[in-house]
Amino acid sequence: MDQRNLLAAQRAVNLAGYSQGGTADIIVDQSVRYQPVEGFGFALTGGSAQHLIAMDPAKRKMLLRELFGREGIGISYLRLSIGASDLNAFVFSYNDLPAGETDVKLEKFSLAQDELDVVPVLKEILAISPDIRILGSPWSAPVWMKSNGKVQGGRLKDEYYDVYGDYFIRYIRAMSRHGIRIDAVTVQNEPFNDGNTPSMQFLAKEQLRFVRDYLGPKLAAAGLKTKLILYDHNCDAPEYPIAILTDPQARKYVAGTGFHLYAGPVSAMSKVHDAFPDKGLYFTEMMAVNRKEFNVAAPVARIVIGATRNWSRNVILWNLAADQNDDPHTGNGGCSMCQGAITIEGNQVTRNLAYYTIAHASKFVPPGSVRIASTSSGPLAHVAFSTPGGQTVLLVANNSKTAQEFTAGAATGFFKARLEHGSVVTYTW
């Protein structure tokens, strides 16, 4: 794509410019309302925070205001790793011990590593956006709790279910002491993936028992309002969260289910919604990277529009920042091709495909918005929202092979438009 109008304001549309009696390709209906919106954003990995904290403070402040301020692109949701993810420079947990030692009272629990970069960056973000939602996801339990005693793979030992529940509580409270409120946690990032570094398998029957008998009751007993989100993996196994939600004792502790989109159809989210419509759906991870063609329509259509049209309350992309070599990442099993939404080289910043993918939603659809109905007779992907301020927002992506001329609007009137191949436009009225 030519990239001449990246997130640039366009000529205002005139809803009175086309009669309602005509044929409209996209019709928005404010009266049909679906799920609330909690936010759009990225994973603030340890690597992202490492690059940000190394910037000149004044330049970092300007960048964070662009990213998180309402005058910028208004990122409203962040995902953190609980301990290291594969986009840290090295693997760590908050309770690392010499081989053969255990610490069931978690006396050596420490956020020290995150306090070097993630915590100070978050404090600067919160000064700009104090209500931003934050989701925490663990890639692995501390190795002394695991069946194989390694950072990669293995499972949580039965005898450590109780202490691992306490580990979550310690994390939430430790972050709270820094003024950082963890709105939600997932039980395990990618519970089927044992090849990542770090990683840990967590089968559905195991997650059911952990949520029902340990983590859920501990969150309730601690009086914490942190939401508990299941699964946090691909759209190819909706039966995983459904199996857990079928248990009434586990279900009472669960706020919803998180999904990635590296495998399976995004419609799997609707399958879970249809089975348990009172539980939320969350889109917690997917990459959007520009390798050959800069086609923002592809990830907007597949991820942002796809997830929200299938009941997701948020969209989080992977990840916020990396350097020009897509570093850092852990060793064997870390992601060596995970491009950031922004590339940071010292104090120089490049905005990449993922930045614009999220910005088309985050800048115009604040938390508290509600998805509303939009129907179509054409090839364009689209989704519509009603904002707390009473605006209607229509996001349209053309991932077809040719430019598309279309009409769009609502009961108040319609407008004509043309959208080039690979392009996205956000309309507001």
Side-chain angles (χ1 to χ4, degrees):
M1 304 305 103
D2 61 30
Q3 303 181 48
R4 288 177 300 178
N5 293 300
L6 291 172
L7 212 64
Q10 303 296 299
R11 178 173 54 86
V13 298
N14 179 10
L15 285 176
Y18 192 65
S19 69
Q20 190 174 347
T23 300
D25 296 299
I26 302 174
I27 302 175
V28 177
D29 187 348
Q30 277 267 10
S31 69
V32 181
R33 300 167 75 84
Y34 300 102
Q35 79 275 18
V37 172
E38 295 188 17
F40 299 91
F42 299 96
L44 178 68
T45 59
S48 298
Q50 174 185 318
H51 290 308
L52 287 163
I53 205 68
M55 293 181 71
D56 172 80
K59 292 185 181 298
R60 181 175 64 248
K61 183 177 181 179
M62 289 177 59
L63 175 60
L64 293 180
R65 188 158 294 281
E66 173 193 336
L67 293 170
F68 297 95
R70 289 312 307 172
E71 72 278 17
I73 66 169
I75 293 170
S76 50
Y77 213 121
L78 285 174
R79 183 184 186 215
L80 309 179
S81 61
I82 299 176
S85 75
D86 57 308
L87 293 190
N88 278 81
F90 57 89
V91 176
F92 67 90
S93 78
Y94 303 128
N95 198 259
D96 290 329
L97 303 173
E101 290 189 16
T102 63
D103 180 20
V104 294
K105 294 184 179 180
L106 299 179
E107 293 173 339
K108 296 181 180 179
F109 182 97
S110 173
L111 279 184
Q113 186 59 44
D114 279 355
E115 288 168 344
L116 298 176
D117 42 39
V118 173
V119 168
V121 168
L122 276 173
K123 288 181 177 180
E124 292 189 30
I125 291 169
L126 287 165
I128 298 166
S129 180
D131 297 323
I132 193 167
R133 291 183 188 262
I134 300 172
L135 167 73
S137 299
W139 266 239
S140 174
V143 295
W144 58 268
M145 299 185 192
K146 298 174 66 176
S147 60
N148 65 353
K150 299 178 180 179
V151 297
Q152 190 180 69
R155 295 178 181 172
L156 184 66
K157 286 185 175 181
D158 288 351
E159 60 264 37
Y160 295 126
Y161 274 48
D162 186 68
V163 67
Y164 194 45
D166 291 335
Y167 183 86
F168 278 81
I169 304 300
R170 288 286 188 104
Y171 170 73
I172 294 165
R173 285 179 166 164
M175 294 295 273
S176 180
R177 286 193 289 272
H178 283 292
I180 299 165
R181 185 178 72 86
I182 303 300
D183 181 70
V185 292
T186 65
V187 181
Q188 172 63 40
N189 171 70
E190 299 188 348
F192 293 137
N193 181 359
D194 63 355
N196 211 343
T197 303
S199 56
M200 185 174 77
Q201 282 195 325
F202 220 137
L203 303 182
K205 63 181 180 180
E206 298 167 340
Q207 191 164 126
L208 165 60
R209 185 162 69 91
F210 182 59
V211 166
R212 181 190 63 203
D213 300 338
Y214 298 94
L215 183 55
K218 286 179 182 292
L219 285 168
L224 296 172
K225 302 300 182 183
T226 305
K227 295 194 288 286
L228 187 53
I229 297 175
L230 301 174
Y231 189 46
D232 201 10
H233 207 173
N234 287 325
C235 286
D236 56 353
E239 62 272 13
Y240 184 114
I242 288 173
I244 298 172
L245 290 168
T246 300
D247 185 293
Q249 291 302 309
R251 185 169 65 246
K252 68 181 182 180
Y253 297 118
V254 175
T257 300
F259 281 96
H260 304 182
L261 194 52
Y262 301 106
V266 73
S267 59
M269 300 182 78
S270 284
K271 185 174 182 179
V272 179
H273 172 267
D274 293 345
F276 296 96
D278 60 323
K279 298 300 181 181
L281 275 299
Y282 296 87
F283 192 90
T284 50
E285 182 183 319
M286 186 63 192
M287 287 196 302
V289 298
N290 49 289
R291 300 299 181 192
K292 295 180 179 179
E293 181 185 51
F294 193 97
N295 178 357
V296 72
V300 168
R302 182 168 184 253
I303 304 170
V304 178
I305 294 174
T308 53
R309 289 191 72 90
N310 283 279
W311 298 96
S312 187
R313 299 180 179 211
N314 73 336
V315 177
I316 303 173
L317 295 187
W318 182 255
N319 82 102
L320 181 60
D323 69 10
Q324 66 274 20
N325 299 313
D326 301 334
D327 284 332
H329 59 84
T330 56
N332 182 32
C335 182
S336 61
M337 52 168 284
C338 288
Q339 182 184 61
I342 57 173
T343 297
I344 299 177
E345 301 179 61
N347 290 312
Q348 300 300 310
V349 177
T350 303
R351 292 146 190 85
N352 299 317
L353 186 69
Y355 173 97
Y356 297 102
T357 299
I358 284 296
H360 268 284
S362 61
K363 185 173 179 65
F364 305 100
V365 186
S369 300
V370 177
R371 180 170 73 91
I372 56 177
S374 60
T375 56
S376 173
S377 59
L380 298 172
H382 55 87
V383 67
F385 303 91
S386 178
T387 72
Q391 271 196 323
T392 297
V393 179
L394 174 63
L395 178 58
V396 184
N398 179 13
N399 198 34
S400 72
K401 295 183 178 180
T402 60
Q404 297 292 323
E405 293 185 351
F406 63 101
T407 58
T412 50
F414 298 96
F415 59 90
K416 287 184 176 181
R418 175 186 171 90
L419 192 57
E420 298 298 324
H421 154 69
S423 298
V424 175
V425 64
T426 305
Y427 298 103
T428 63
W429 65 83

